[in-house]
Amino acid sequence: MNSRTIAVVSVFVSMATVFRLLKNAVTSMQFLNIPLALAFVASYLFGSKIGLMVGFFGYVFSDLLIYPGLWTIVNSLVAGLVSYIFGLSSRRVIQGLVLFLEAFLLCFFFDLSTSTLLYILFGLDISKALVFAFIGLFLPVMGGYLIGVGPLTEFSTSILTVLLIRGLEKRNLKKDINIG
């Protein structure tokens, strides 16, 4: 791993951590997944491996500062995976709508799979865990209290991802920095 790669990963992980901490200082409600949006941006601009590292470490470091637990492991692993996939699938995307849809579907997968895995770790069987995780995206279940928070978070995270990517591309960031 070269020094440019380390620098890019460090900057994106730091931004993911700081902005998640700032968001949590204002509200603990999940309306925007900042670490995942920044991992998608890094993956798109600099490659899947960078996105994987940003997704993974963005959750590890921010959770260590907020409140670590089993969810830290689950969220970190799944964030790294979906960020890696985003980098592979979005590299040739030109249209913003397609980029938005890819981000939205991967955010949806992230939310559904992390909730399912955590329900399983807390003792539910797989089928119940999947049902509770899916319903929990739209309605309050298992101690939740918000309605429609899943699609709202996926929408806002995907919009942020596309806006950041397009803004950085307009400033020729992708052309100016060559990673590996």
Side-chain angles (χ1 to χ4, degrees):
M1 189 177 321
N2 65 35
S3 59
R4 284 186 177 195
T5 301
I6 293 168
V8 168
V9 170
S10 298
V11 167
F12 273 90
V13 169
S14 298
M15 287 191 305
T17 302
V18 167
F19 285 119
R20 186 171 181 216
L21 289 172
L22 289 173
K23 188 222 41 114
N24 275 25
V26 174
T27 179
S28 63
M29 290 189 271
Q30 179 70 23
F31 293 117
L32 181 62
N33 191 330
I34 294 170
L36 197 56
L38 289 170
F40 284 173
V41 171
S43 192
Y44 180 85
L45 294 175
F46 303 110
S48 295
K49 291 177 186 173
I50 301 245
L52 182 145
M53 289 185 278
V54 172
F56 180 81
F57 289 116
Y59 266 96
V60 167
F61 292 132
S62 61
D63 268 12
L64 287 175
L65 294 170
I66 295 170
Y67 188 70
L70 279 176
W71 48 87
T72 304
I73 298 164
V74 171
N75 288 345
S76 299
L77 291 172
V78 178
L81 173 67
V82 297
S83 299
Y84 185 84
I85 293 168
F86 185 80
L88 292 177
S89 65
S90 66
R91 297 295 281 178
R92 297 197 169 128
V93 172
I94 296 170
Q95 294 180 330
L97 179 61
V98 175
L99 197 60
F100 170 83
L101 290 173
E102 285 184 36
F104 187 89
L105 291 172
L106 285 168
C107 285
F108 180 83
F109 176 78
F110 172 84
D111 286 343
L112 186 64
S113 61
T114 55
S115 294
T116 301
L117 289 169
L118 285 167
Y119 285 141
I120 290 168
L121 289 172
F122 291 127
L124 290 180
D125 65 61
I126 293 172
S127 59
K128 285 182 184 175
L130 187 57
V131 168
F132 277 116
F134 183 78
I135 292 171
L137 292 172
F138 304 96
L139 299 170
V141 295
M142 302 291 265
Y145 57 93
L146 298 172
I147 295 175
V149 72
L152 177 63
T153 301
E154 289 138 13
F155 181 83
S156 62
T157 301
S158 301
I159 288 286
L160 177 62
T161 299
V162 172
L163 291 174
L164 288 172
I165 287 171
R166 293 304 185 226
L168 292 170
E169 283 181 331
K170 283 181 184 177
R171 288 159 182 82
N172 291 324
L173 180 69
K174 192 172 185 180
K175 293 178 186 173
D176 290 343
I177 298 175
N178 185 10
I179 302 296

